[in-house]
Amino acid sequence: MFQSTLLKLFLSDKGTRRFAVGVIFGFAFSIAVILGNIGIMDGFESSLRIGLKKSNGDLTIHSRYGFFDFESYLKHELEIANINTFSSIVQTEGFIIKNEVSKGVMIKGIEESSYKKVTGLDLKLKNDEVILGSELAKFLKVSIGDPIVLAFANGNSQVSGLPSLKRYHVSGFVEHGIYQRDLRTLYIKKSVLQKDLDVENRVNLISLNISDNQDEFLSNPVDYSLKIEKVIDGFKGSIGRSYIVKPYWKEFSTLITAVKEEKFFISIILQIIVVISIFNVLAFVVFLNEKRSRELFLFKALGMSQKKVRQGWMYLMSIIWIASCFLAAAFVQVFNWGLVNLPYFKLPGDVYTLGSLSINLDLFDYSIVFFISYLWLFLISWFALLVMSKKSVLTGLRKEFA
């Protein structure tokens, strides 16, 4: 009851309310900056993992000795391990040529139905067609139906040392969400690529998922990775040393580790912003203490304890903190909308891997940032109020009523 009365006393005039709104906005913005930093780092990792899995599945397996017969041995081992979602792939490097422009690419020969089960990519191909990554199509300035030429680095049967050139038509484009993959990947029918490379029915890559239910991955890509690591340990013992098993993130593991470490250190540094904004809150407290000092000293003279007064101040601090947390959550949504929709925030994909960012936060992230901000607010405010409370009632009364 006393706290609400004191709050009405503090905020009774318009100027004080405006000051309070400004303090709340400043505190909320500083909290939102930290949340945004954590959310961008988490969003970067999540988007990167989703994009990588979109072209590889959970795991890839390849032989140390090149092409192999999948049906004769490895398929049986996957069935024993209860792996039902897999796709055999022929993967090679080459060049795509359009007019006078050429580009080194990764050529993937796939079987459409099984590849869709593993990656979720619905690719429809005919024997004379290819599907290009979206960035590769932009680089070559091609449209659907345009002819392109693929140069395979397997030599020419008639002229030794020259590449084999094959003509195809572009049937569509695909977007993985990873700039490098979109710039350097194209898809072709597996049977066609096997014929072009003269490898009969052999393949050199297997993509698979450890589970048929991929909702678990989409809900938490990071935790799902721990399950994949356990499966890898089991595969290493069952399929022998002739095969190499890699998780989908292996190629970018260094980048993912760096992002995690940077998130921690940047969040620590950004605590300075919160501390500075708390000094604005303290300036508001000092302002109120001077402006309402007569009323406060009258309360003390009438028998109100100093403990009650401090409780009233902390009640006001808590109200400011709660309002700032709600406003910070709104700021985060605004930041996220800007990152996703405004072209000004579009990233150069060749530098940052992803073309755009989004903020990805869970309840734990919000809780820990809000708690730390309140801890800073409580500690600094308690020290300041302790200094202010040393002023005696008699001294205050003499000053105010002299």
Side-chain angles (χ1 to χ4, degrees):
M1 186 68 180
F2 164 72
Q3 284 86 352
S4 60
T5 303
L6 195 62
L7 186 63
K8 291 178 182 178
L9 173 65
F10 287 155
L11 304 178
S12 58
D13 64 280
K14 193 174 182 179
T16 304
R17 290 195 294 270
R18 288 179 177 176
F19 195 172
V21 170
V23 167
I24 291 172
F25 264 83
F27 194 25
F29 187 80
S30 64
I31 296 173
V33 168
I34 297 178
L35 285 170
N37 168 70
I38 295 174
I40 286 174
M41 295 293 189
D42 288 346
F44 180 90
E45 181 178 354
S46 179
S47 298
L48 182 62
R49 287 180 180 274
I50 290 172
L52 291 173
K53 188 181 179 306
K54 210 172 187 179
S55 57
N56 283 339
D58 291 344
L59 297 174
T60 57
I61 303 176
H62 68 271
S63 172
R64 297 178 185 272
Y65 309 109
F67 287 89
F68 59 92
D69 186 353
F70 171 64
E71 300 287 338
S72 64
Y73 171 71
L74 194 55
K75 183 178 180 180
H76 179 64
E77 291 295 324
L78 294 181
E79 291 172 349
I80 293 176
N82 293 321
I83 302 297
N84 302 313
T85 308
F86 53 82
S87 181
S88 59
I89 299 170
V90 176
Q91 182 171 288
T92 187
E93 297 175 351
F95 287 88
I96 183 171
I97 304 168
K98 171 63 177 175
N99 297 329
E100 297 180 356
V101 180
S102 64
K103 182 75 173 178
V105 291
M106 181 68 70
I107 304 169
K108 284 192 170 186
I110 62 169
E111 197 281 311
E112 298 101 302
S113 60
S114 63
Y115 195 73
K116 179 183 178 181
K117 292 179 180 178
V118 173
T119 65
L121 295 176
D122 189 9
L123 306 177
K124 303 296 184 182
L125 288 161
K126 295 181 179 179
N127 288 344
D128 62 342
E129 293 179 341
V130 295
I131 293 178
L132 309 183
S134 56
E135 295 295 333
L136 178 60
K138 292 177 184 178
F139 176 81
L140 297 174
K141 299 178 180 179
V142 298
S143 303
I144 293 177
D146 287 354
I148 56 94
V149 173
L150 292 182
F152 299 103
N154 66 323
N156 189 294
S157 59
Q158 296 180 348
V159 184
S160 177
L162 294 180
S164 174
L165 302 178
K166 302 289 183 179
R167 182 180 295 273
Y168 299 92
H169 289 85
V170 177
S171 67
F173 312 114
V174 63
E175 190 168 336
H176 306 94
I178 306 295
Y179 179 83
Q180 287 89 340
R181 294 286 167 85
D182 291 337
L183 182 64
R184 298 186 180 277
T185 305
L186 67 82
Y187 296 92
I188 189 173
K189 285 184 74 71
K190 183 178 73 172
S191 58
V192 173
L193 188 57
Q194 286 173 328
K195 182 178 179 181
D196 290 339
L197 297 178
D198 193 22
V199 294
E200 300 177 343
N201 290 323
R202 292 175 295 165
V203 297
N204 61 350
L205 186 70
I206 306 298
S207 290
L208 60 92
N209 289 337
I210 63 173
S211 172
D212 295 336
N213 183 11
Q214 291 299 293
D215 291 338
E216 184 181 355
F217 168 79
L218 295 174
S219 62
N220 196 328
V222 178
D223 288 347
Y224 189 77
S225 301
L226 300 177
K227 294 183 64 175
I228 294 177
E229 290 176 348
K230 293 180 181 179
V231 172
I232 291 176
D233 293 336
F235 268 137
K236 287 180 178 179
S238 63
I239 64 177
R241 296 177 57 85
S242 298
Y243 296 94
I244 299 173
V245 185
K246 293 181 181 180
Y248 67 87
W249 68 84
K250 180 67 175 179
E251 186 179 346
F252 289 82
S253 58
T254 303
L255 177 60
I256 291 173
T257 301
V259 168
K260 289 181 178 178
E261 294 179 355
E262 288 299 318
K263 179 179 71 173
F264 174 77
F265 288 111
I266 292 176
S267 298
I268 294 297
I269 294 172
L270 289 178
Q271 292 296 320
I272 297 174
I273 300 176
V274 172
V275 173
I276 292 173
S277 67
I278 290 174
F279 281 109
N280 292 333
V281 178
L282 292 182
F284 177 63
V285 171
V286 173
F287 169 78
L288 284 181
N289 187 64
E290 294 296 325
K291 189 176 183 64
R292 299 296 178 186
S293 58
R294 177 176 297 184
E295 290 85 350
L296 288 172
F297 283 122
L298 278 175
F299 282 141
K300 292 179 183 178
L302 292 173
M304 183 178 295
S305 66
Q306 187 64 44
K307 181 180 178 181
K308 282 283 187 181
V309 175
R310 280 199 296 266
Q311 287 177 351
W313 282 118
M314 294 310 299
Y315 178 74
L316 176 62
M317 297 296 100
S318 298
I319 293 295
I320 292 175
W321 173 75
I322 292 172
S324 298
C325 289
F326 278 108
L327 187 58
F331 277 145
V332 169
Q333 297 304 315
V334 174
F335 295 164
N336 188 50
W337 180 87
L339 288 171
V340 173
N341 296 286
L342 297 181
Y344 180 78
F345 293 104
K346 185 175 176 60
L347 299 175
D350 54 343
V351 178
Y352 292 98
T353 304
L354 303 178
S356 63
L357 293 174
S358 62
I359 294 176
N360 183 18
L361 292 167
D362 56 26
L363 184 60
F364 176 78
D365 294 325
Y366 281 104
S367 300
I368 194 68
V369 172
F370 289 160
F371 173 76
I372 292 175
S373 65
Y374 185 76
L375 185 63
W376 278 114
L377 180 63
F378 176 82
L379 291 175
I380 297 175
S381 299
W382 180 85
F383 179 77
L385 293 174
L386 185 64
V387 173
M388 290 167 52
S389 65
K390 291 182 179 180
K391 196 173 184 180
S392 67
V393 176
L394 183 59
T395 303
L397 287 174
R398 284 175 179 174
K399 180 181 177 182
E400 295 300 327
F401 296 99

